[in-house]
Amino acid sequence: MRLHPDTALTDTPDGSVLLNRRTGRYWQVNRTGAHTLDRLLAGESADRIAADLAARYDIDAARVRADIATMTENLLTAGLIEPS
C-alpha cells in the first residue's frame, strides 16, 4: 500500500496527521497507529505487525489484526492510502 498522491503525512509528538489535499479533511492517528501505518507503507504484512504488537503489549493478536484492518479500511475509504 502507499499514500494517495493527494495525501500529506506529517509526524506529530502524539502520532501522525494525514491530510487529504483534495477535500481538506484530515485524520489523526496515535503513536501506535502511526507506527503501524509506517510499517504498512514500507510493505510489511498486517499479520506480522499484529504479531509484533501483540507480543510487545501482551494483547490478543486477533484483536490487533482487526484493529489494523479497521484502520486500513478507514484510510482507504477516506482516499488517504491506496493499494500499491
Side-chain angles (χ1 to χ4, degrees), residues 1-3 40-43 76 81-84:
M1 104 177 23
R2 63 180 179 223
L3 288 178
L40 289 169
L41 293 173
L76 283 165
I81 59 173
E82 61 186 18
S84 50

Side-chain angles (χ1 to χ4, degrees), residues 36-60:
T36 299
L37 180 59
D38 287 344
R39 291 177 68 178
L40 289 169
L41 293 173
E44 288 190 58
S45 74
D47 287 340
R48 174 66 186 177
I49 298 165
D52 289 349
L53 291 173
R56 174 188 275 175
Y57 296 108
D58 192 28
I59 54 179
D60 181 56

Side-chain angles (χ1 to χ4, degrees), residues 1-78:
M1 104 177 23
R2 63 180 179 223
L3 288 178
H4 186 280
D6 291 329
T7 299
L9 175 66
T10 302
D11 293 330
T12 69
D14 297 322
S16 293
V17 174
L18 296 99
L19 170 67
N20 182 324
R21 291 183 279 219
R22 292 178 319 247
T23 65
R25 292 190 63 201
Y26 69 92
W27 289 69
Q28 185 171 0
V29 294
N30 64 21
R31 287 183 195 142
T32 303
H35 176 73
T36 299
L37 180 59
D38 287 344
R39 291 177 68 178
L40 289 169
L41 293 173
E44 288 190 58
S45 74
D47 287 340
R48 174 66 186 177
I49 298 165
D52 289 349
L53 291 173
R56 174 188 275 175
Y57 296 108
D58 192 28
I59 54 179
D60 181 56
R63 173 59 195 242
V64 178
R65 278 193 297 278
D67 289 347
I68 292 171
T70 298
M71 180 184 78
T72 302
E73 184 60 35
N74 288 339
L75 295 175
L76 283 165
T77 300

